[in-house]
Amino acid sequence: MFKIGDKVVYPMHGAGIIEAIEEKEVLGETRQYYILRLPVGDMKVMIPISNCEDVGLRQVIDNDGVQRVFHILREQSTSMSDNWNRRYRANLEKIKSGNIYEVAEVVRNLVKRDKEKGLSSGERKMLENARQILISELVLATELGEDKTKSMLEGVFA
């Protein structure tokens, strides 16, 4: 169980800080919820405490994790299917996993593919989504702020 002030990652949405734990009635059922503030995009999310394991809520990575993310971003891209649909589904599964290292792989692979061959509009949207998820966790893990984190990320691909 998490507590107020914990930095956590909500897969497919990004990282945030638990601001409160509240009991709310939704659809006639009273449950306890984490109230999560996502700094990137300034969004608030309610997550039922009983569903945390199912949705993959987890702690934000530590400094070693940050180093590993940047190592992954600098590596060669992994081979991807030439079939757009297969590639899209494989990347979507990685993003849905909530695993920051897999999200970093998606960002790296799509950025490199964009430079080589360009991206379809669907993959471009996926890249932006994966980049936002990655940035949101790195912002909380490094405490450098969104602009500095974005600059660091862009510096890897420059």
Side-chain angles (χ1 to χ4, degrees):
M1 192 155 148
F2 299 104
K3 58 188 184 307
I4 294 171
D6 281 354
K7 297 173 182 178
V8 297
V9 177
Y10 185 25
M12 293 294 291
H13 296 278
I17 300 168
I18 295 175
E19 284 194 332
I21 299 172
E22 297 178 3
E23 201 168 276
K24 297 220 182 250
E25 185 179 320
V26 177
L27 300 172
E29 194 177 341
T30 302
R31 299 163 88 177
Q32 282 200 313
Y33 291 86
Y34 289 125
I35 309 301
L36 187 66
R37 184 178 54 79
L38 305 173
V40 175
D42 199 31
M43 188 168 61
K44 281 195 179 186
V45 181
M46 283 176 32
I47 305 165
I49 291 177
S50 58
N51 287 16
C52 283
E53 218 169 280
D54 296 339
V55 299
L57 199 68
R58 63 169 175 78
Q59 292 278 1
V60 166
I61 55 173
D62 60 12
N63 201 35
D64 289 341
V66 171
Q67 298 309 314
R68 185 169 165 207
V69 164
F70 280 98
H71 177 75
I72 289 167
L73 292 172
R74 288 185 190 97
E75 287 178 335
Q76 292 294 317
S77 57
T78 48
S79 64
M80 295 185 288
S81 172
D82 285 333
N83 179 301
W84 178 91
N85 198 22
R86 280 195 196 113
R87 197 171 56 240
Y88 187 87
R89 281 198 314 253
N91 283 332
L92 188 59
E93 284 306 307
K94 286 181 178 184
I95 295 170
K96 280 183 178 178
S97 76
N99 181 323
I100 190 70
Y101 309 117
E102 290 192 4
V103 174
E105 279 181 28
V106 170
V107 170
R108 176 198 65 209
N109 292 346
L110 289 178
V111 164
K112 290 184 179 180
R113 183 168 183 88
D114 190 25
K115 286 181 180 177
E116 293 166 9
K117 299 179 182 176
L119 294 176
S120 66
S121 60
E123 283 183 308
R124 191 171 308 287
K125 189 171 182 174
M126 176 179 274
L127 172 58
E128 282 311 306
N129 184 33
R131 188 181 270 146
Q132 281 300 108
I133 291 168
L134 188 64
I135 288 169
S136 72
E137 184 159 1
L138 290 173
V139 163
L140 291 181
T142 62
E143 298 182 353
L144 291 175
E146 190 175 344
D147 292 337
K148 180 107 170 108
T149 303
K150 281 181 179 177
S151 295
M152 284 173 56
L153 194 59
E154 294 309 313
V156 170
F157 300 114

